[in-house]
Amino acid sequence: MSWAQGILLARGLSRGWGGICSTALTRAPFSQGLPQAPRGLHCSTAAHNPDSSLVPRPPEPPRGPVKALAPHVELFRQAPDGVRDKASFVQAVQNFTQYNVHKRGHVDFIYLALRKMREYGVERDLAVYNLLLDIFPKEVFRPRNIFHSIFLHYPRQQECGIAVLEQMENHGVMPNKETEFLLIQIFGRKSHPMLKFVRMKLWFTRFKNIDPFPVPRDLPQDPVDLASLALRHMEPDLSARVTVYQMPLSKDSTDATDPTEPHIIGIQSPDQQAALAHHNPARPIFVEGPFSLWLRDKCIYYHILRADLLPPEEREVEEIPEEWNLYYPMQLDLAYGRSSWDDYEFNIDEVEEGPVFAICMAGAHDQATLAKWIQGLQETNPALDRIPVVFRLSGSSGELLASSSGLEEPPLTPPEGQEEEENNQQRQQQSQS
Amino acid sequence: MQVPEEYGGLGLSNTMYARLGEIISLDSSIAVTLAAHQAIGLKGIILAGSEEQKARYLPRLASGEHVAAFCLTEPASGSDAASIRTRAALSEDKKHYVLNGSKVWITNGGLASVFTVFAKTEVVDSNGSVKDKVTAFIVERDFGGVTSGKPEDKLGIRGSNTCEVHFENTRVPVGNVLGEVGGGFKVAMNILNSGRFSMGSAVAGMLKTLIEMTAEYACTRKQFNRNLSEFGLIQEKFALMAQKAYVMESMAYLTAGMLDQPGFPDCSIEAATVKVFSSEAAWQCVSEALQILGGSGYMRDYPYERILRDSRILLIFEGTNEILRMYIALTGLQHAGRILTARVKQLKQGNVTTILETVGQRLRDSLGRTVDLGLTGKLGVVHPSMADGAHKLEQNVHYFSRTVETLLLRFGKTIVEEQLVLKRVANVLINLYGMTAVLSRASRSIRVGLQNHDHEVLLANIFCTEAYHQNLCTLSQLDKHSPENLDELIKKVSQQVLEKRAYVCAHPLDRPS
């Protein structure tokens, strides 16, 4: 018994190949001693010896069903009046090192801390990451001879180090010299975390500006600003103008659950206006949506106003007026066209889409709000009074949606006709009133 | 000046008109005012007017009692004739047209009393459809409703009066329509095409005076104990000015002479060539002359900066140089295309004999054959002292013809959109025409025995060599996939810049953070 305990003690803080060593191997020598579920050779002492008093217990056992508390959680339980910010996070980390001189279970603690960083709002802070790396005991995990370096030395710790660096990568934090120094101290120069660090240093500076359509890091909180940023992000034409058709009512007066006037912001470019003016009033145009747009971690929904493509027989060929340019002939009357050597038009797989006339983002996704948008559009596009507008609002799949009550199914043809007339009548009434 | 004598004008031929232009051009504002009055303002009446219109207007215009102006440009339409918004509607009694609209940047707008106005009228076609076509009208200020704005503040030619002209319900009698109703486009084209060649001689005259003034300065000013004229770079500038002036003169008078031939020869391409070459040469040479003077050239006390500002407009008015290059190239290609159509059709169909012919020609070309078009030699026109230059011209012409054939084969009708290609074709054409003019003038002056003909030979040879090499470079750029052809890259860069509407590179001091 003491011999087994001695071995386990010697393995002390490290967790090794957890489930890799087969339980069959371990079961035989330990079966008489340990009533608990067999584990690998390298496992933490304290978890399996509730009756031994040799080893001081760490706060909570780290195993068991999911319902059990994760270890060290109460370190992160703040005082009811405390605010979750960097100072309290740092305090919690320091508490761990205080209570636990030998730093048992530090791997779990670090994983827990990584999970909790988002709540405390410190996921972009390099100093905090360095602090987390500081928790590792130094000089212990460095490989000392060739056998250490051949096999993955202290794999669990190295994976933990890599996890810290990975979270840094996910949040776009660039490691600095301090991180490098810490990693060398903890893991040595040839370890996997160090390898990852070196790769991060090389590639991240190059990947930083790789996005041709960058979105600013700190997105505006105000929905109107956010919507106008998103609309300008989507629209490639720089001459397009963003118009706010309706500002939301201030939140103090009405209750936040049911705003009666959601914000409506639209964007339209002069080319789109011209195309709408040329649109044949006999063909309907559709309001489709909502489609989702993700900006970093925010999902916003937008609607578009579009028309279908004209079938080829109805497409009018652009007539080149004969007497167009006073100075040079715009058209040569030669009998032959371009040779195939210079033909750069691709005919494969090109699906033409119908024209999109405007995009809008609104607080609510129901027909009434979108009808207000169309009314607002009518001021700059007088051609809209004569064109029938069909609302094709679909339920979006799976994403968070503010008001699910305002969704309608895609209408079938008979209801479409009714809706059209509804829209026409609605608009006529509104324009008359 | 070109008004026929029976109406009180001088009845000058084109050559005499060019000669007069040389003298008038010493002061650009006067030259521009005169040109606007009679090269474009009156020309409409002379070219397309009926007898009684000519008899009514020309005497007083020719004597200078009334001043004429040419009203075509509007705020929304510069070269685009189809987008003119000025409208002329027939009144109920069918005796008047009511004119409504406004024109912008009209020279002599404030002084003129007779305007040649272009407006859109409704014309009923032969098959009954109603279209809007441009018509030319002669409008007098006394018809009422003609107002001119205040004179514009311009960079150069500040002596001339340029302003906006507004027409509000101006009643124009039906008898004042120039040409026929709906035929305004052709009238405009003819007017514009006929006045261009005189720019060559006018600019040459200006350059000659400029050379005199600058040479005076260069030979008297001493720096480092030497006259400025002993320095190589200064000498190069003078040689450039002399050469350009010579070429300009030759081209202008050659064109004027061709226009003076009996019949109505169509020398519009040559006139456009003259205009493009002389305007660009003017800008370059005046700039160099100012440079020779150094700091004093920059001062308002000397006339150089005024001449520089005045010569900037030469590149813009009477058809911007870019547009004229398109015109030169496209008209030439149209002409060539018609001749080559039959051959091209055969090639496309795959006629074996034509293919073999073409292939044989190309092989012989690539193996380097000598081209002899008969310019020099026993029956040659060119004097043997310029045999060199003539030989270069012949080679260029031959190479050019091959390239044009290839281009037409490659692009066909769609060559209209390939402006970078057309620009190169036009440049080659301008150089070729310059070479022709220069060679013929130099040969003539040797044979006739004019003074300083050896100087002319020198200038001719220099220009021919330079133009030859430029042409070779340009023509090599016209091959597909040639390494000198940077068109694709240029288009890519411009697309990226115009997408963001700004300069897109990162600042040199930016760090990767």
Side-chain angles (χ1 to χ4, degrees):
Chain A
M1 187 67 167
S2 57
W3 159 76
Q5 272 189 3
I7 289 184
L8 291 172
L9 254 180
R11 301 295 178 228
L13 299 163
S14 58
R15 280 173 200 266
W17 298 96
I20 296 181
C21 296
S22 61
T23 50
L25 260 179
T26 59
R27 206 182 280 277
F30 292 114
S31 51
Q32 68 272 47
L34 300 170
Q36 286 92 345
R39 286 218 165 210
L41 278 172
H42 312 279
C43 57
S44 142
T45 324
H48 304 292
N49 283 327
D51 38 296
S52 87
S53 51
L54 288 173
V55 176
R57 294 175 61 147
E60 235 83 36
R63 59 161 178 116
V66 183
K67 290 193 300 244
L69 279 176
H72 318 302
V73 159
E74 79 283 352
L75 277 175
F76 284 99
R77 230 177 270 140
Q78 91 254 44
D81 52 340
V83 62
R84 296 190 164 206
D85 65 347
K86 181 172 170 181
S88 51
F89 190 88
V90 171
Q91 183 65 37
V93 171
Q94 277 167 356
N95 283 347
F96 172 80
T97 41
Q98 253 181 4
Y99 289 151
N100 211 337
V101 176
H102 296 281
K103 301 206 178 140
R104 288 191 184 86
H106 62 278
V107 173
D108 288 318
F109 177 73
I110 291 182
Y111 279 126
L112 174 69
L114 286 176
R115 281 196 296 272
K116 291 278 184 182
M117 266 178 139
R118 188 150 255 213
E119 288 173 21
Y120 284 73
V122 290
E123 71 264 15
R124 302 240 189 100
D125 201 345
L126 180 60
V128 173
Y129 283 109
N130 284 341
L131 202 64
L132 275 191
L133 277 181
D134 212 13
I135 299 177
F136 280 111
K138 317 286 185 294
E139 315 283 344
V140 181
F141 307 135
R142 292 172 79 157
R144 243 160 284 181
N145 53 36
I146 189 152
F147 299 104
H148 288 172
S149 38
I150 292 176
F151 300 105
L152 184 68
H153 199 48
Y154 287 105
R156 184 107 193 228
Q157 272 76 358
Q158 289 211 10
E159 281 170 16
C160 184
I162 293 180
V164 173
L165 287 174
E166 198 175 322
Q167 182 151 9
M168 263 205 257
E169 172 184 350
N170 288 343
H171 289 289
V173 176
M174 185 74 189
N176 67 357
K177 280 202 180 336
E178 203 186 321
T179 326
E180 182 179 1
F181 186 63
L182 277 168
L183 284 175
I184 295 180
Q185 259 192 332
I186 300 170
F187 292 111
R189 212 175 275 273
K190 306 265 180 164
S191 57
H192 285 258
M194 194 57 205
L195 189 60
K196 183 173 171 71
F197 171 82
V198 161
R199 286 182 188 139
M200 277 166 86
K201 256 198 5 179
L202 174 69
W203 289 113
F204 286 1
T205 43
R206 296 178 197 195
F207 287 164
K208 202 171 159 81
N209 295 322
I210 210 175
D211 190 355
F213 310 109
V215 177
R217 199 16 97 99
D218 301 311
L219 290 172
Q221 299 298 321
D222 181 23
V224 178
D225 287 336
L226 184 63
S228 61
L229 176 81
L231 284 173
R232 266 178 288 126
H233 185 72
M234 280 199 289
E235 175 72 53
D237 193 347
L238 287 172
S239 328
R241 275 178 40 239
V242 176
T243 0
V244 180
Y245 295 105
Q246 198 173 273
M247 291 289 287
L249 286 183
S250 55
K251 299 285 183 184
D252 326 314
S253 47
T254 53
D255 42 325
T257 50
D258 228 23
T260 45
E261 278 197 20
H263 61 276
I264 308 177
I265 307 181
I267 192 172
Q268 196 182 36
S269 74
D271 288 337
Q272 285 171 330
Q273 270 182 319
L276 191 52
H278 284 270
H279 187 79
N280 184 3
R283 301 192 138 263
I285 54 180
F286 307 100
V287 175
E288 292 189 2
F291 303 108
S292 58
L293 170 76
W294 279 94
L295 288 177
R296 292 211 183 252
D297 52 349
K298 293 212 164 85
C299 180
I300 325 175
Y301 294 90
Y302 62 94
H303 296 259
I304 58 175
L305 181 70
R306 64 172 279 268
D308 276 333
L309 267 186
L310 297 175
E313 52 271 5
E314 286 186 35
R315 257 174 244 191
E316 42 174 73
V317 184
E318 247 190 59
E319 261 186 51
I320 302 181
E322 265 178 45
E323 305 177 335
W324 205 1
N325 191 333
L326 274 179
Y327 291 97
Y328 62 87
M330 297 287 267
Q331 224 189 357
L332 290 184
D333 54 347
L334 299 171
Y336 39 93
R338 216 167 232 243
S339 72
S340 50
W341 198 20
D342 275 286
D343 198 5
Y344 293 118
E345 284 184 33
F346 294 114
N347 346 6
I348 321 170
D349 295 328
E350 206 172 73
V351 178
E352 266 190 52
E353 223 190 26
V356 174
F357 296 123
I359 315 179
C360 95
M361 288 189 177
H365 303 281
D366 56 337
Q367 192 163 322
T369 331
L370 293 171
K372 281 195 204 155
W373 170 47
I374 301 288
Q375 266 187 307
L377 267 183
Q378 265 181 339
E379 290 165 36
T380 39
N381 301 287
L384 260 183
D385 339 330
R386 275 167 285 126
I387 309 179
V389 178
V390 177
F391 286 82
R392 272 204 205 145
L393 304 170
S394 57
S396 70
S397 52
E399 315 276 10
L400 334 149
L401 199 50
S403 55
S404 49
S405 54
L407 303 175
E408 304 179 17
E409 281 75 75
L412 309 162
T413 353
E416 220 181 87
Q418 293 172 11
E419 265 204 60
E420 261 186 63
E421 293 168 277
E422 256 182 60
N423 298 335
N424 277 336
Q425 286 173 4
Q426 204 182 32
R427 253 176 299 103
Q428 281 171 11
Q429 286 168 8
Q430 283 161 355
S431 54
Q432 281 165 11
S433 62
Chain B
M1 282 176 265
Q2 284 193 287
V3 177
E5 276 166 350
E6 60 228 29
Y7 298 108
L10 288 174
L12 295 177
S13 69
N14 293 319
T15 327
M16 293 193 260
Y17 175 56
R19 181 72 185 94
L20 254 186
E22 249 183 82
I23 309 174
I24 302 179
S25 70
L26 293 177
D27 188 320
S28 334
S29 314
I30 296 180
V32 165
T33 311
L34 262 178
H37 166 69
Q38 43 111 22
I40 39 178
L42 295 183
K43 260 306 173 50
I45 310 181
I46 298 178
L47 289 177
S50 63
E51 290 302 322
E52 55 105 13
Q53 280 169 346
K54 286 187 194 176
R56 210 179 340 146
Y57 290 109
L58 285 182
R60 277 172 300 160
L61 285 171
S63 66
E65 219 182 293
H66 287 167
V67 179
F70 182 80
C71 300
L72 173 60
T73 322
E74 292 187 14
S77 75
S79 331
D80 193 352
S83 66
I84 290 185
R85 301 251 180 89
T86 312
R87 293 208 66 90
L90 201 51
S91 63
E92 299 79 29
D93 53 356
K94 304 259 184 201
K95 291 235 185 86
H96 291 260
Y97 277 97
V98 179
L99 197 58
N100 269 305
S102 65
K103 301 281 184 185
V104 82
W105 299 334
I106 309 297
T107 322
N108 294 345
L111 314 168
S113 40
V114 175
F115 300 88
T116 313
V117 183
F118 290 83
K120 280 256 176 91
T121 43
E122 284 185 355
V123 168
V124 181
D125 252 358
S126 44
N127 41 2
S129 59
V130 174
K131 277 202 204 156
D132 277 342
K133 284 212 167 174
V134 179
T135 317
F137 297 95
I138 310 178
V139 177
E140 291 180 40
R141 207 181 265 269
D142 315 327
F143 289 164
V146 180
T147 43
S148 42
K150 70 171 185 39
E152 310 259 4
D153 201 4
K154 303 191 287 287
L155 171 67
I157 50 171
R158 289 168 81 90
S160 81
N161 179 307
T162 309
C163 58
E164 301 176 357
V165 180
H166 303 276
F167 298 99
E168 278 170 55
N169 293 327
T170 315
R171 299 178 71 83
V172 182
V174 174
N176 271 21
V177 171
L178 260 182
E180 39 173 65
V181 178
F185 191 79
K186 296 247 169 21
V187 172
M189 269 182 64
N190 287 339
I191 299 177
L192 289 169
N193 283 344
S194 64
R196 284 202 189 111
F197 68 95
S198 61
M199 193 188 283
S201 55
V203 172
M206 182 190 61
L207 271 188
K208 287 193 255 194
T209 22
L210 209 62
I211 294 180
E212 278 178 28
M213 295 197 298
T214 324
E216 185 63 48
Y217 179 82
C219 293
T220 43
R221 179 151 171 102
K222 274 179 159 297
Q223 286 285 281
F224 310 118
N225 270 338
R226 292 161 73 177
N227 279 330
L228 278 191
S229 51
E230 294 175 36
F231 293 110
L233 287 174
I234 306 286
Q235 290 170 344
E236 190 189 352
K237 293 192 208 292
F238 277 107
L240 177 82
M241 289 203 280
Q243 183 197 64
K244 297 273 183 187
Y246 184 68
V247 179
M248 256 189 267
E249 277 181 327
S250 330
M251 288 209 293
Y253 284 106
L254 181 61
T255 319
M258 281 202 287
L259 280 169
D260 278 337
Q261 306 271 344
F264 291 106
D266 179 21
C267 296
S268 44
I269 303 188
E270 285 86 353
T273 318
V274 168
K275 194 260 179 191
V276 170
F277 185 85
S278 42
S279 53
E280 293 189 345
W283 182 239
Q284 199 186 1
C285 290
V286 175
S287 184
E288 301 276 333
L290 202 150
Q291 182 81 7
I292 293 178
L293 258 81
S296 35
Y298 205 64
M299 296 299 144
R300 300 253 315 238
D301 312 324
Y302 288 82
Y304 295 89
E305 53 87 34
R306 177 174 55 89
I307 300 180
L308 185 72
R309 276 183 295 117
D310 292 341
S311 50
R312 187 63 182 89
I313 191 73
L314 292 173
L315 288 142
I316 301 175
F317 74 177
E318 289 217 52
T320 43
N321 279 10
E322 283 79 26
I323 283 216
L324 282 182
R325 283 202 161 92
M326 296 294 115
Y327 173 69
I328 296 169
L330 282 171
T331 325
L333 282 171
Q334 177 138 1
H335 177 78
R338 278 203 205 108
I339 297 179
L340 292 174
T341 299
R343 249 216 21 224
V344 166
K345 253 201 213 139
Q346 284 180 348
L347 272 178
K348 292 223 171 187
Q349 281 166 0
N351 193 340
V352 181
T353 32
T354 351
I355 292 184
L356 281 180
E357 261 180 45
T358 333
V359 167
Q361 267 179 359
R362 298 295 163 104
L363 268 179
R364 263 180 287 143
D365 280 338
S366 58
L367 290 175
R369 66 151 164 203
T370 50
V371 186
D372 190 7
L373 293 172
L375 270 183
T376 47
K378 244 174 123 184
L379 294 174
V381 177
V382 178
H383 193 270
S385 56
M386 279 166 310
D388 215 24
H391 188 61
K392 293 192 170 105
L393 176 62
E394 289 170 354
Q395 276 196 336
N396 262 348
V397 166
H398 179 78
Y399 189 7
F400 181 58
S401 68
R402 290 276 168 270
T403 318
V404 161
E405 276 176 32
T406 327
L407 283 178
L408 280 173
L409 264 180
R410 261 170 72 188
F411 293 111
K413 268 196 249 204
T414 62
I415 204 169
V416 184
E417 290 140 34
E418 303 282 325
Q419 288 201 335
L420 292 166
V421 166
L422 289 176
K423 169 193 89 156
R424 295 195 177 99
V425 170
N427 283 343
V428 171
L429 271 172
I430 295 173
N431 278 339
L432 288 178
Y433 188 57
M435 281 204 271
T436 327
V438 140
L439 285 173
S440 68
R441 180 177 168 191
S443 306
R444 172 184 173 262
S445 55
I446 298 178
R447 293 219 164 95
V448 169
L450 293 177
Q451 210 178 23
N452 287 334
H453 58 253
D454 47 351
H455 183 72
E456 293 191 25
V457 171
L458 271 178
L459 287 174
N461 280 334
I462 297 177
F463 179 69
C464 281
T465 322
E466 232 183 79
Y468 172 70
H469 288 293
Q470 275 177 9
N471 281 354
L472 281 185
C473 183
T474 320
L475 287 169
S476 72
Q477 280 178 354
L478 280 175
D479 289 329
K480 185 161 172 158
H481 301 310
S482 79
E484 294 99 15
N485 188 349
L486 299 169
D487 286 353
E488 305 269 328
L489 302 171
I490 291 177
K491 285 200 179 135
K492 232 192 229 180
V493 165
S494 76
Q495 188 207 10
Q496 286 173 358
V497 166
L498 289 172
E499 213 178 347
K500 308 282 175 183
R501 297 189 191 179
Y503 178 68
V504 290
C505 301
H507 197 265
L509 295 177
D510 275 342
R511 305 182 101 213
S513 91

